Amino acid sequence: MNALSDRLKGLIAAQGPLSVAQFMALALMDPEHGYYARRDPFGETGDFITAPEISQMFGELLGLWLVQVWRDQGAPAPLTLIELGPGRGTMMADVLRAAAMVAPDFLAAADVVLVEASPTLRGLQQQRLASAPARISWRPSLDIEEVSGPLFVLANEFFDALPIRQFLRLGEHWHERVLALTPEGELGFAVAPMPAQALVPMPGRMPPSEGDLFEICPLGLALCEHLASAIARQGGAALIIDYGYGTTAGYADTLQALKAHAYVPVLETPGEADLTAHVDFGALAAAARHGGAAVYGPCAQGAFLDALGLRQRCAALTRAAPDAAHVLSRQLNRLCAEDQMGQLFKALALLPQHAPRPDGF
Ligand code: SAH
C-alpha cells in the first residue's frame, strides 16, 4: 500500500466506488502520485521498454513512411506533425532525422506538436529534441479544432495507456466493474449492482456468456473518430501502433500492471506500476470509419516493418558498423519476431478517402 492507495480509499469513502477508468486515470496521471506524472519509466532499468527505445530503426522507418504518405497527397505545406505520448522523445528524434535526410521540404513545412500530459516526460523530450531540425511545441492534450490544414499523427503505445471501463456479464445485462472498499477497508474490485444502460459491444463480436468481461476505451474511441474526421476533411494521416486485439476482441480482463519488467497485481502499488490494457483495434477502426477516414489494417507490427524495409535498413546499418551486427539483429528480432513484438503489436493507418494505399498495408 502507498500514498495513492490511501487517497483512493479516502475518495471512495467520501463519494462511493470509482470506475476502472477513473482509477486508471488517477494511477497514471494524478499530478502528485501518478505513474507518468512523476517518473521516467522506460528502458532496461525502468519498468518496460518500447519499440523506439529498442531500436532507432523503428522511428526511422516511420519517418520515411510519413514522408511517403505526405508526397502521395501532393506534399501539402504547411502541415502539422503530431505525436501523441512521445515518452522520452526518442521516436520523434529518429523520425525527424530520417525525414531530414530524404525530405528537408517536409520538415520545413512542418509544425511539430508533441502531446504529453506528464511534466517529467515533457522535460525529457525537450532535452532530447533540443537540437532537432524542426519547430516543436508541446501541449498537455490535443485540441483537434485548433489544427488547421493537413495533420500527420503518430501514436506508439499511447492508446494502451488511455483509461478503459470494464463491464461484467451477469444474466442478461452488463454491470460496470468498479473499485470499492472491502469489509476490511482495503481496495478491491466490485460490481455495480445496477446494470449499465444501453451498452452494446461492437457488432461482429461473439454473443457474450455469463461472467464475460467487456472493455471499452471511450477516450480512445472519441479521439480516433476526431482524428479521422479531421484527416478526412483536411488531409494527412494517422499511424497508430500498439499492442492489442486485431479485428475481433475477446471478452477478457486485460488490465495489467508492469513494474521492473514483471507483472504485479493491479491494486498492489497504484501509481508505482505502469497500467495498460489491450487496444481494441477493431473498435478503433470502426470509430475511424465513422469519422470518415479510409482505414488500413490492423496489420501485425512484424509484417508492417518488414514491408517498410526493416531488413534492408538493418543490413545497411550492419555494413556501416559490422561490430554492431549482433546488437542490430537482436533489435530486429525483438521488433519483428512472432514471439516478441511482431504479432501482438499492430499498426492501423487512417487516411483521407482519396489518398493512395499507404506503404506497409
Ligand atoms: N510513445 C512512447 C511512450 C509510450 S508510454 C514510446 O513508444 O516509447 C505512453 C506515453 O503517453 C507517455 O509519454 C505518457 O506520459 C503519455 N500519456 C499517457 N496518457 C496520456 C494522456 N491522457 N494525455 C497525454 N499523454 C499521455
Side-chain angles (χ1 to χ4, degrees), residues 279-352:
V279 171
D280 181 349
F281 278 99
L284 284 187
R289 283 194 195 97
H290 197 247
V295 177
Y296 299 89
C299 160
Q301 172 171 299
F304 176 66
L305 294 177
D306 228 353
L308 297 191
L310 181 64
R311 274 162 223 283
Q312 291 82 334
R313 179 75 190 129
C314 188
L317 289 173
T318 307
R319 276 195 300 279
D323 289 350
H326 181 66
V327 174
L328 287 164
S329 84
R330 220 183 58 210
Q331 294 177 354
L332 185 145
N333 186 60
R334 287 186 74 176
L335 294 177
C336 279
E338 295 224 336
D339 61 347
Q340 303 278 314
M341 300 175 83
Q343 191 62 42
L344 178 61
F345 280 73
K346 293 167 182 80
L348 185 79
L350 322 183
L351 278 93

Side-chain angles (χ1 to χ4, degrees), residues 29 36 42 50 52 83 85-87 116-118 121 140 156-158 161-162:
M29 287 298 177
Y36 281 115
F42 305 101
T50 56
E83 185 179 350
E116 176 56 71
S118 154
L121 290 178
N156 186 62
E157 291 212 44
F158 173 76
L162 297 180

Side-chain angles (χ1 to χ4, degrees), residues 180-325:
L181 295 179
T182 64
E184 296 76 36
E186 296 302 331
L187 293 176
F189 285 112
V191 175
M194 294 291 285
Q197 299 297 318
L199 180 71
V200 186
M202 284 271 300
R205 280 198 184 227
M206 298 281 291
S209 331
E210 182 73 12
D212 274 351
L213 195 139
F214 171 64
E215 297 182 333
I216 186 168
C217 181
L219 208 60
L221 295 178
L223 176 60
C224 196
E225 184 170 339
H226 272 124
L227 286 175
S229 63
I231 287 165
R233 216 173 33 239
Q234 296 162 212
L239 182 62
I240 297 170
I241 302 183
D242 225 307
Y243 83 99
Y245 293 116
T247 30
T248 318
Y251 286 118
D253 175 11
T254 73
L255 185 62
Q256 65 178 35
L258 207 60
K259 199 171 171 179
H261 301 271
Y263 295 107
V264 294
V266 167
L267 299 182
E268 192 172 85
T269 46
E272 293 175 36
D274 185 36
L275 271 187
T276 58
H278 269 45
V279 171
D280 181 349
F281 278 99
L284 284 187
R289 283 194 195 97
H290 197 247
V295 177
Y296 299 89
C299 160
Q301 172 171 299
F304 176 66
L305 294 177
D306 228 353
L308 297 191
L310 181 64
R311 274 162 223 283
Q312 291 82 334
R313 179 75 190 129
C314 188
L317 289 173
T318 307
R319 276 195 300 279
D323 289 350

Side-chain angles (χ1 to χ4, degrees), residues 67 70-71 98-108:
V67 166
W70 172 71
R71 286 188 174 143
M101 300 223 289
V102 297
D105 46 341
F106 174 79
L107 288 190

